[in-house]
Amino acid sequence: MTVADDIRAKGMRMTVQRRLVLDALRRARHHITAEEIARSIRASYPQIDPSTVYRNLEALERLGYVTHTHLDDRVTRWRRADSPQHGHLVCRRCGSEEEISMSVLAPLAKRLKGEHGFSADLAHSAVVGLCRECAG
Amino acid sequence: MTVADDIRAKGMRMTVQRRLVLDALRRARHHITAEEIARSIRASYPQIDPSTVYRNLEALERLGYVTHTHLDDRVTRWRRADSPQHGHLVCRRCGSEEEISMSVLAPLAKRLKGEHGFSADLAHSAVVGLCRECAG
DNA sequence: AAGACTATCGCAACTTACCGCAATAGTGTC
DNA sequence: GACACTATTGCGGTAAGTTGCGATAGTCTT
Ligand SMILES: [Mn+2]
Ligand SMILES: [Mn+2]
Ligand SMILES: [Zn+2]
Ligand SMILES: [Zn+2]
């Protein structure tokens, strides 16, 4: 079953704008912001409205095709749900970003599940702190 | 040395607005939003501007008197830096919040320090996921 | 191919947060 | 207490994101 068929099977519609959002996410090599998606779409479809991009990202997230993460305080970043998951370390002083394997975060997830019955999504928010250089 | 003296010693000024922000944080029992602080101040000082509240929170954070955390996606919550630190588990389905001891998060912090030289602030962002009831 | 149904769109207004700027008001000195 | 210095204020504007609404356009049926 194609993505379009799945979307239609759930009573939703495969609009040109929705397909363009999916295409932009497929082209992206890493997490991108909604504004970057909008800009990328405007090259071939100038009339796209930012709210259409936001609403489509939310709809596609509900269907399980995309997810978002938070690297810094303000901006939300999006990626295809089938792209490899990983954590982030972000320095609050110099802004440097480092990707880390989920295996580093797994023991905490396991403990939260065991002690609190909580299924944690530890890739959702970056871990903030001070990098080696900034901590001194 | 009082807070006011410390602020003056650093070349800053103890304005009525700054004192009102500190008072609002002292009255608060738990983390509060900038908007809640502004509303609380407006009761006795209606002309306060939201930007003044934000700027004072940032200034007081630089001085080490307050800190902020992120519980859900968008809202920033503030508290006095001398109030006890703790982590949060937030359910993305039902919105329930649970406080957890920093000792649960400490092993991950230690590992990030050892393997990546990164001094993590694991209380800064809540851990999002699904609570026991919502995970099923 | 045409028609009905309604999900989705573009637009405008709104929200939280941030920033530049001229006016205001704390501060230390006299 | 008055004065000069300048940190901070209130205001207006900007950015990211959300929401209400009337118009548009996918989709299913015939
Ligand atoms: Mn933050
Ligand atoms: Mn989020
Ligand atoms: Zn750094
Ligand atoms: Zn829940």
Side-chain angles (χ1 to χ4, degrees), chain B residues 12-13 15 17-18 47 51-52 55-56:
Chain B
M12 297 170 61
R13 294 169 186 180
T15 64
Q17 294 90 338
R18 184 159 291 166
Q47 64 268 45
S51 67
T52 300
R55 280 190 281 226
N56 271 309

Side-chain angles (χ1 to χ4, degrees), chain A residues 49-136:
Chain A
D49 190 80
S51 67
T52 300
V53 175
Y54 288 114
R55 280 191 279 225
N56 271 306
L57 287 169
E58 287 163 23
L60 293 169
E61 186 171 52
R62 276 194 301 275
L63 294 180
Y65 288 111
V66 309
T67 5
H68 72 267
T69 51
H70 305 278
L71 290 200
D72 52 56
D73 274 13
R74 315 260 310 120
V75 187
T76 302
R77 291 194 144 80
W78 301 82
R79 64 176 181 86
R80 305 202 317 269
D82 58 6
S83 64
Q85 204 183 22
H86 56 265
H88 291 94
L89 306 180
V90 175
C91 178
R92 61 157 50 108
R93 171 89 63 85
C94 71
S96 68
E97 300 175 6
E98 186 180 353
E99 300 195 349
I100 59 171
S101 156
M102 290 309 288
S103 66
V104 177
L105 304 171
L108 174 59
K110 190 170 184 183
R111 182 165 178 186
L112 292 174
K113 186 68 180 172
E115 293 182 13
H116 300 269
F118 190 86
S119 304
D121 174 10
L122 292 173
H124 188 73
S125 295
V127 174
V128 308
L130 291 175
C131 72
R132 201 189 306 268
E133 289 72 39
C134 292

Side-chain angles (χ1 to χ4, degrees), chain A residues 12-13 15 17-18 51-52 55-56:
Chain A
M12 297 169 61
R13 294 169 187 181
T15 64
Q17 295 89 339
R18 183 159 291 165
S51 67
T52 300
R55 280 191 279 225
N56 271 306

Side-chain angles (χ1 to χ4, degrees), chain B residues 11 15 17 24 30 50 57-58 78 82 86 101 107 131 133:
Chain B
T15 64
Q17 294 90 338
H30 43 280
L57 288 169
E58 286 163 25
W78 301 82
D82 57 7
H86 55 264
S101 157
C131 72
E133 289 71 39

Side-chain angles (χ1 to χ4, degrees), chain B residues 75-130:
Chain B
V75 187
T76 302
R77 290 194 146 82
W78 301 82
R79 62 176 181 85
R80 303 201 318 269
D82 57 7
S83 63
Q85 203 186 24
H86 55 264
H88 292 94
L89 305 180
V90 176
C91 178
R92 61 158 50 109
R93 170 90 62 88
C94 71
S96 69
E97 299 175 6
E98 184 181 351
E99 299 194 350
I100 59 171
S101 157
M102 290 308 289
S103 67
V104 177
L105 304 172
L108 174 58
K110 190 170 185 184
R111 183 166 178 185
L112 293 174
K113 185 68 180 171
E115 293 181 12
H116 299 269
F118 191 86
S119 304
D121 175 9
L122 292 172
H124 187 73
S125 294
V127 174
V128 308
L130 292 175

